[in-house]
Amino acid sequence: MNLLATWQVRIQQQVLLLFIGLCLTSLFVIQIAMAAVVNKTVTITTQEWPPYQINHGNYHSGFAIEALDCVMKRLEQPYKIIFLPWGRAQHDVKTNVYDGFFAASQNNHRDTYAKLSNTFIEQKWQFFLAKDFITPLDAESIKTNVEFGSRLHSNTSYWLNKNGYKVIYETTNLDELIPLLQKKRIGAIMENSLLFQVAIDRAGIPISEFNVVNNIEKPLGVYFGDQFLKQNPQFLDAFNQHTQACRFTSN
């Protein structure tokens, strides 16, 4: 056999081996994805939180609802959303009543009993101060001089307290905080920018009545309970394979 023929045989063998390898890899990925689909309806708790999650009774809508539905459809995974007060929504996953909760951003307390998926839902935190509130509008001055109101059981409250801000009032309802800010009973609210905009639109208040200072981006995902993941160890990896394709951004 001449040199050219020898090289042709070797190339054919390498192509065949590459083809077989690709086929085996594809089969392996398919088997993992199939094994990761849970053989039951996955239960996920949430809160009424427009524009992310809105309960219309017989159907749900919102940016986070649509992003989650996109992932679950790609997984072909049956699931059910349960609307609850936010504190209970998280606690019932901690006690293994339900499988997960969303839309949620990372904090260390949640990490003790659940694991966060890839974050794939945009969230930006901003400081909102009354327009005539007299303080320099930089982060350090706001931290030192301003007293905050915040939502109970929210990650915004957790973050403010953890980072040494002065939180003097907490309630479950953002609609209750906004009049307090207007009356200067509190100095500021740190909140999800989209959530705050929807709340003031609902109240008929223009954003021009507030000083707005950017803080940080804190994207959202789904927390799945440790007990659920212990019983379904491949589910989170399969879920995370589809988050990029289902990402929500406001841009």
Side-chain angles (χ1 to χ4, degrees):
M1 184 179 293
N2 60 37
L3 184 60
L4 178 59
T6 300
W7 276 108
Q8 287 176 334
V9 170
R10 288 183 179 178
I11 290 171
Q12 289 172 350
Q13 289 174 337
Q14 290 174 351
V15 170
L16 179 60
L17 288 172
L18 178 61
F19 176 75
I20 293 171
L22 289 172
C23 289
L24 290 174
T25 300
S26 299
L27 180 61
F28 179 68
V29 170
I30 291 169
Q31 287 175 334
I32 288 176
M34 290 176 64
V37 175
V38 177
N39 190 26
K40 70 161 196 165
T41 299
V42 176
T43 54
I44 301 177
T45 60
T46 193
Q47 62 176 323
E48 182 77 18
W49 205 44
Y52 291 90
Q53 297 108 227
I54 307 164
N55 184 8
H56 301 280
N58 59 344
Y59 73 99
H60 313 313
S61 66
F63 299 135
I65 296 283
E66 292 170 5
L68 175 64
D69 187 62
C70 172
V71 173
M72 291 306 210
K73 281 181 176 176
R74 292 172 71 94
L75 278 176
E76 299 184 358
Q77 175 62 55
Y79 74 103
K80 180 180 180 181
I81 293 174
I82 301 98
F83 277 79
L84 294 171
W86 192 225
R88 183 183 164 194
Q90 297 169 78
H91 180 266
D92 283 1
V93 173
K94 182 178 181 179
T95 56
N96 202 32
V97 176
Y98 300 111
D99 301 321
F101 64 90
F102 90 117
S105 54
Q106 186 276 333
N107 75 41
N108 293 338
H109 175 65
R110 292 168 177 169
D111 291 342
T112 62
Y113 61 88
K115 288 184 175 59
L116 182 62
S117 71
N118 289 346
T119 53
F120 61 112
I121 302 163
E122 177 189 289
Q123 176 179 230
K124 296 177 181 178
W125 283 353
Q126 295 177 313
F127 297 113
F128 298 93
L129 301 90
K131 195 70 173 180
D132 55 353
F133 192 84
I134 302 173
T135 191
L137 297 179
D138 62 272
E140 192 56 39
S141 296
I142 291 171
K143 180 177 180 177
T144 303
N145 300 320
V146 178
E147 295 179 325
F148 282 81
S150 194
R151 288 182 296 110
L152 194 65
H153 304 302
S154 68
N155 207 15
T156 48
S157 277
Y158 179 89
W159 187 92
L160 287 168
N161 284 295
K162 180 183 177 182
N163 288 280
Y165 288 78
K166 302 171 186 175
V167 179
I168 63 168
Y169 186 80
E170 289 183 300
T171 179
T172 58
N173 194 341
L174 178 58
D175 291 343
E176 184 180 337
L177 291 174
I178 292 171
L180 296 179
L181 180 58
Q182 289 183 296
K183 296 173 184 176
K184 300 183 180 61
R185 300 277 297 278
I186 56 176
I189 300 169
M190 188 194 73
E191 191 51 88
N192 176 306
S193 58
L194 294 179
L195 187 70
F196 190 87
Q197 184 64 58
V198 167
I200 62 172
D201 287 348
R202 188 164 53 240
I205 304 168
I207 192 66
S208 58
E209 289 200 14
F210 305 95
N211 283 316
V212 182
V213 180
N214 291 332
N215 186 13
I216 60 174
E217 294 191 9
K218 194 74 170 174
L220 305 159
V222 183
Y223 263 104
F224 291 103
D226 286 343
Q227 290 301 312
F228 169 75
L229 293 177
K230 184 177 180 180
Q231 296 166 3
N232 304 281
Q234 294 177 319
F235 178 80
L236 187 56
D237 285 342
F239 185 94
N240 284 339
Q241 288 177 18
H242 300 288
T243 51
Q244 181 61 38
C246 296
R247 182 173 298 276
F248 161 73
T249 65
S250 59
N251 297 330

